[in-house]
Amino acid sequence: MHRSREWLFERIRRAHREQGLSGRELAVRFKVSRNTVKKALESPVPPKRKAPPPRKSVLEPVKGFIDAMLREDLDAPSKQKHTIPRIMERLAAEHDFELGRQTTVWEYVRKRRPEIKAEALEGRRHLEGMVPQAKRPGEEAEVDFADFWLDLAGQRRKCVLFTLRLSYSGKAVHRVYATASQEAFLEGHVEAFTVLGGVPSVHIRYDNLKPAVKQVMFGRSRLESARWASFKSWYQFSAFYCAPGEDGAHEKGGVEHEGGRFRRKHLVPPPQVESLAELNERLAAIDVAEDARHIHGRPTSIGFDFEAERERLRPLPADDYDCGLDLTPVVARNSRITVRQCFSP
């Protein structure tokens, strides 16, 4: 039976107290050393055992070489970093070391790789941070498309939600389209500018949407489509293109959040409509009602802030831009007409 040291000390002290046994007799009865008996009689609490010294790792002679390989990986391409077998091969070939097992090397690398990465970033921590954005009335807006599902005339379909959001007041205009085509992109802007009664005076933020950007160039430079350049010139505003990927999403976080919030709030469950025009009428009424909403952290409502922003928007041109596209259809030998990727019956 396993006996704890506390139990043993208590029995030794009881036998000494009740039966008057000597140290030698106690050692014989409990089969322990006289030194243990002495400690038990001095204190009822056993002294803490000294932890054995840590075993020396078999990798001790080559830890520096492994660390050097992991530091090389910091600047190496993502698909050309050291694996455990490759580390062992280099240790054997370059340092004549073959004592370590693969699991031993793996445990060491698993612990050291994040530590080495943290050490490398130690001197650059001051570069990481966040600067709160402060927007001026009427100067900026953000635009984005968001996918959602609806039941259109009894059939489940995937459509897109166009959102233009003013950065200062948070006033947003939402419209639904069948696809994220260039015509829908332009028409969404025209609808939003008409509702807002003006155009942002500085710029509108975009990610690299295909209806606007034909090619991403170096830095912020973009090769724009001809119709998009004409549209911007018509309404006299500039486009600010965000960086590609996740970093760019943070540069227009207002509309990214707004698209998801609006979809969860007003498009769940999937709406059932007979036409997209019917749904757009619903969304227009929702946009008007949301003027009373308060954005988190702001004491005033969206509608109140928009009234101060409306006056600072750039005036609209006398005529709206024609978002339609003139095409010359092609008649095939079988008398079928092709319009883009659609064929006549």
Side-chain angles (χ1 to χ4, degrees):
M1 183 179 68
H2 175 73
R3 300 182 303 179
S4 67
R5 299 185 72 203
E6 290 80 3
W7 178 88
L8 177 62
F9 274 39
E10 194 273 332
R11 293 296 300 272
I12 292 175
R13 291 173 64 86
R14 180 184 299 177
H16 175 71
R17 182 176 62 252
E18 297 177 355
Q19 303 177 19
L21 298 179
S22 64
R24 183 186 300 274
E25 292 171 334
L26 291 171
V28 172
R29 170 178 289 192
F30 294 102
K31 299 180 180 180
V32 296
S33 68
R34 295 184 65 181
N35 188 39
T36 302
V37 173
K38 181 180 178 181
K39 293 179 180 179
L41 296 178
E42 291 177 351
S43 173
V45 180
K48 293 184 178 180
R49 297 179 181 229
K50 292 183 178 181
R55 294 178 56 187
K56 191 175 182 179
S57 173
V58 70
L59 298 179
E60 203 66 37
V62 293
K63 283 184 177 180
F65 302 120
I66 298 176
D67 290 353
M69 297 180 200
L70 298 180
R71 290 189 178 93
E72 292 177 12
D73 286 347
L74 295 175
D75 299 322
S78 59
K79 296 184 179 180
Q80 291 177 255
K81 299 183 183 294
H82 283 87
T83 61
I84 303 303
R86 180 55 182 154
I87 291 176
M88 298 184 67
E89 289 175 3
R90 288 193 60 184
L91 291 177
E94 300 175 17
H95 306 288
D96 196 25
F97 180 83
E98 299 181 353
L99 299 179
R101 294 167 46 184
Q102 185 165 336
T103 54
T104 305
V105 178
W106 181 85
E107 284 288 346
Y108 179 76
V109 171
R110 181 182 65 86
K111 177 183 177 182
R112 283 294 291 158
R113 195 185 292 273
E115 293 177 350
I116 289 176
K117 184 177 180 180
E119 292 171 3
L121 294 175
E122 184 69 26
R124 295 184 289 173
R125 282 186 177 177
H126 62 283
L127 297 179
E128 299 179 2
M130 181 188 69
V131 179
Q133 296 186 0
K135 306 297 184 181
R136 293 183 177 181
E139 291 189 352
E140 293 187 24
E142 301 171 356
V143 166
D144 198 15
F145 276 121
D147 297 334
F148 77 102
W149 292 85
L150 78 162
D151 293 330
L152 183 61
Q155 293 185 350
R156 182 61 58 90
R157 285 196 54 180
K158 183 179 180 182
C159 293
V160 294
L161 176 69
F162 173 90
T163 303
L164 187 147
R165 178 184 184 273
L166 293 176
S167 300
Y168 173 76
S169 64
K171 172 71 174 177
V173 178
H174 307 85
R175 292 295 183 268
V176 172
Y177 298 97
T179 64
S181 64
Q182 188 178 60
E183 289 76 23
F185 183 64
L186 301 181
E187 185 177 333
H189 282 79
V190 173
E191 286 279 331
F193 294 157
T194 302
V195 171
L196 299 176
V199 182
S201 59
V202 177
H203 59 233
I204 302 178
R205 293 175 180 261
Y206 302 90
D207 54 19
N208 302 286
L209 298 165
K210 289 185 178 180
V213 177
K214 294 176 63 176
Q215 185 178 355
V216 178
M217 311 297 283
F218 181 77
R220 300 286 181 178
S221 300
R222 303 292 186 269
L223 181 59
E224 299 177 332
S225 64
R227 293 193 71 205
W228 174 239
S230 172
F231 182 86
K232 290 195 305 172
S233 177
W234 185 275
Y235 286 97
Q236 299 182 9
F237 70 92
S238 300
F240 179 93
Y241 296 108
C242 301
E246 184 178 351
D247 292 338
H250 295 304
E251 294 180 346
K252 58 179 186 64
V255 74
E256 293 280 351
H257 171 76
E258 173 62 23
R261 183 203 66 84
F262 191 89
R263 180 171 50 194
R264 293 187 298 270
K265 176 77 173 177
H266 302 291
L267 299 177
V268 176
Q272 299 179 2
V273 293
E274 293 298 321
S275 66
L276 295 182
E278 176 187 344
L279 181 56
N280 279 325
E281 290 180 3
R282 293 188 194 176
L283 300 189
I286 293 173
D287 288 342
V288 173
E290 286 214 328
D291 283 350
R293 184 171 66 90
H294 284 247
I295 297 176
H296 178 71
R298 296 188 184 182
T300 53
S301 66
I302 291 176
F304 182 88
D305 292 337
F306 176 63
E307 288 302 320
E309 189 169 28
R310 186 199 304 268
E311 301 174 355
R312 305 193 182 187
L313 296 173
R314 188 188 304 277
L316 293 172
D319 298 319
D320 289 338
Y321 186 85
D322 184 6
C323 300
L325 183 63
D326 295 331
L327 297 173
T328 302
V330 177
V331 181
R333 289 182 296 178
N334 56 2
S335 299
R336 298 184 67 183
I337 300 176
T338 304
V339 180
R340 286 189 171 178
Q341 297 178 343
C342 300
F343 301 92
S344 64

